[in-house]
Amino acid sequence: MSLLDDIKNDKETLIALAMAAREMAADMGLSTEDLEKLALEHPSEVNERMAELEKVLGQMELPPLADHHKQYHPKSRDPEEWRLLEQTLNFRLDHPDALVRFSDGQVSYSAGFIRFLLERLDVWEYSHERFCKLVEVPYQTICTWIK
C-alpha cells in the first residue's frame, strides 16, 4: 500500500503527517493560522504543490508499524538521547518545583525549567516531537514556549 493510501485510510498515519507538518511549520515560525492564511493568499501554487506531493506519496511506502517501533526501543537510544534524559532528570531532582502536576491534570513549569529545556532544544538534532517525548512535555506546550 502506498503512503498516500495510508494517509487516506489510516487515522494514525494522517495524524502523524499532520503533527509532522505542524512541527515543521513551528520550526519555520509559522502557526496553523499562518499556514491557512498563506494557502488562501496563494491558492494556485498550493494546489499545484499538493498535486505534486500526492503523486510522490502515491509512489512511496511506509515500513510496517512494528518495525518502526523497534528502532525507538529504549535500549537503542543514542548517547544524545540518554544525555538529554539524564540532564532533565537531574534538573528535576535538583529543582522539585520545576514541574508540578496538580490533581485536576494541570501542569505547571518553572521559568528555570522552561529556559533549561529551550536551551537543550536549541542544540537538539532530532525532531521536536522526539524531544517532547523524552522530556515528557506536550508538543503544544513546547511550541508555545518557542513563540
Side-chain angles (χ1 to χ4, degrees):
M1 186 181 318
S2 75
L3 179 53
L4 184 60
D5 292 332
D6 286 340
I7 292 167
K8 289 180 175 181
N9 299 307
D10 180 61
K11 290 178 185 175
E12 287 80 12
T13 304
L14 178 61
I15 291 167
L17 179 64
M19 295 299 291
R22 186 181 301 156
E23 181 178 316
M24 290 177 210
D27 289 345
M28 295 174 67
L30 298 170
S31 68
T32 305
E33 294 80 24
D34 294 330
L35 294 177
E36 290 173 6
K37 182 180 174 188
L38 289 169
L40 291 172
E41 291 173 359
H42 307 281
S44 60
E45 293 93 337
V46 171
N47 288 336
E48 184 178 326
R49 185 57 82 178
M50 284 178 59
E52 293 170 358
L53 282 171
E54 283 188 17
K55 182 177 178 182
V56 171
L57 293 172
Q59 299 169 355
M60 298 173 66
E61 285 189 32
L62 279 176
L65 193 56
D67 293 343
H68 173 73
H69 282 298
K70 285 182 189 172
Q71 72 186 106
Y72 292 110
H73 191 275
K75 291 182 181 176
S76 69
R77 286 198 171 117
D78 69 27
E80 188 169 342
E81 289 178 311
W82 285 114
R83 194 169 22 263
L84 176 64
L85 286 168
E86 179 182 16
Q87 290 172 343
T88 303
L89 177 60
N90 285 333
F91 187 95
R92 289 181 58 189
L93 287 171
D94 292 341
H95 305 90
D97 65 336
L99 185 155
V100 179
R101 295 182 199 277
F102 297 96
S103 59
D104 65 355
Q106 295 286 341
V107 180
S108 173
Y109 304 94
S110 71
F113 188 55
I114 293 170
R115 191 174 326 107
F116 167 83
L117 290 177
L118 290 176
E119 287 172 0
R120 299 311 171 282
L121 184 59
D122 283 343
V123 295
W124 183 249
E125 296 179 9
Y126 303 106
S127 71
H128 286 173
E129 188 174 84
R130 194 167 172 181
F131 181 89
C132 292
K133 286 181 184 174
L134 289 168
V135 299
E136 298 179 7
V137 174
Y139 174 79
Q140 287 296 5
T141 302
I142 292 280
C143 289
T144 302
W145 295 346
I146 291 170
K147 291 180 183 180

